[in-house]
Amino acid sequence: MIVFVKLLLAHLIGDFLLQPTSWVIDKETKKHRSVYLYLHTLLHFILAWLLVGKTTFVWFALGLAIIHGFIDFLKLYFQNKKTQRLWFSVDQILHLLVIIAVTLIYNNTTIDFTSFGNQFWITITGFILLTKPTSIIIKNIISIWTPENKTNDDSLQNAGNYIGILERLFVFCFILTGHFEAIGFLLAAKSIFRFGDLKEAKDRKLTEYVLIGTLLSFGIALLIGLLVQAGLGFFL
């Protein structure tokens, strides 16, 4: 585990803290002809080797850095302005998978996937249920009370939907980790941020509409979280 943590730290330092915007722009412009692509790869090799702190890790650090550079190379050639965010996510996921693989190979260990068993499927089902399916359920439940002046041209597109999904996933994680007090802080924080908008709107129907949606969102997240927690305990 400590090797994984050190490699992840090396990745964060190399990819974010020690990679200036000028390097990124030069790489996107010149692609494989950019000297910064190779400096970036070399930096990852040095960081990985230094942070792990063992001479025996040198070849693993070198392999990790070469693969990192190759992944960046592929991203530079396949991404465009429309798919830049998508390729950023793919790039980071691939880097993380490589770090995990190098850690396992170096420690001469394997992942026993059978140990996840029923717990994995219960958890992932609860996780997926709290995303878009719950959003659709809540939307259908409260649609009969939708205020006429609900639309706000100043708000981000689908922002409310994403906020709802994130808050439910936070509640879900808090329940599974046993931090029930954090749910109260989350609900309080949302109430504080929402209070100003609702006060300015001076619309009782809108206030009640938002309140019903929020309570439904938190309530469903609590229910699913507790059911998943019970299921995990049953199969332990």
Side-chain angles (χ1 to χ4, degrees):
M1 177 60 72
I2 193 61
V3 173
F4 170 77
V5 172
K6 289 181 178 180
L7 290 180
L8 181 59
L9 177 60
H11 172 74
L12 295 175
I13 294 173
D15 245 24
F16 298 99
L17 298 184
L18 297 183
Q19 182 173 213
T21 304
S22 58
W23 286 24
V24 177
I25 295 174
D26 191 81
K27 288 193 298 180
E28 290 176 347
T29 303
K30 300 179 181 178
K31 296 182 171 54
H32 72 278
R33 294 187 299 273
S34 173
V35 67
Y36 296 115
L37 174 62
Y38 305 101
L39 285 176
H40 181 67
T41 302
L42 177 62
L43 178 62
H44 274 277
F45 163 69
I46 295 172
L47 286 170
W49 191 20
L50 286 178
L51 289 183
V52 172
K54 296 181 180 179
T55 55
T56 55
F57 192 76
V58 59
W59 296 111
F60 294 93
L62 180 61
L64 178 65
I66 292 174
I67 296 173
H68 184 104
F70 181 68
I71 292 172
D72 283 0
F73 167 80
L74 292 177
K75 183 186 73 171
L76 292 172
Y77 272 91
F78 284 106
Q79 75 175 6
N80 53 51
K81 289 184 178 180
K82 292 184 178 180
T83 61
Q84 198 168 31
R85 285 183 295 179
L86 172 62
W87 273 103
F88 172 80
S89 300
V90 172
D91 173 74
Q92 293 302 316
I93 291 172
L94 290 176
H95 290 322
L96 180 60
L97 292 176
V98 171
I99 289 173
I100 293 173
V102 170
T103 302
L104 294 174
I105 295 171
Y106 178 71
N107 289 324
N108 195 25
T109 57
T110 57
I111 297 178
D112 183 10
F113 289 99
T114 59
S115 65
F116 289 99
N118 295 317
Q119 293 91 337
F120 170 79
W121 294 111
I122 292 172
T123 304
I124 198 66
T125 301
F127 185 91
I128 296 298
L129 178 58
L130 290 174
T131 56
K132 190 173 181 179
T134 299
S135 296
I136 295 174
I137 292 171
I138 293 175
K139 182 179 180 180
N140 279 277
I141 291 175
I142 65 177
S143 60
I144 58 175
W145 300 304
T146 304
E148 295 180 359
N149 60 342
K150 172 181 173 290
T151 304
N152 186 355
D153 295 333
D154 294 331
S155 61
L156 298 174
Q157 185 177 9
N158 296 321
N161 182 42
Y162 293 126
I163 291 172
I165 291 174
L166 287 173
E167 72 186 18
R168 289 192 295 274
L169 293 181
F170 277 129
V171 171
F172 184 68
C173 292
F174 290 149
I175 291 175
L176 295 188
T177 56
H179 293 91
F180 288 89
E181 69 282 357
I183 299 174
F185 284 111
L186 180 62
L187 183 57
K190 182 177 182 181
S191 301
I192 291 171
F193 283 116
R194 267 297 195 176
F195 178 76
D197 294 337
L198 296 176
K199 185 178 180 182
E200 292 177 3
K202 296 180 180 179
D203 189 332
R204 182 173 179 179
K205 290 183 179 180
L206 177 61
T207 302
E208 292 172 343
Y209 176 85
V210 172
L211 183 60
I212 291 172
T214 298
L215 292 177
L216 274 173
S217 182
F218 274 83
I220 293 174
L222 281 168
L223 177 62
I224 298 302
L226 291 173
L227 288 174
V228 169
Q229 188 182 55
L232 294 176
F234 178 80
F235 284 105
L236 285 176

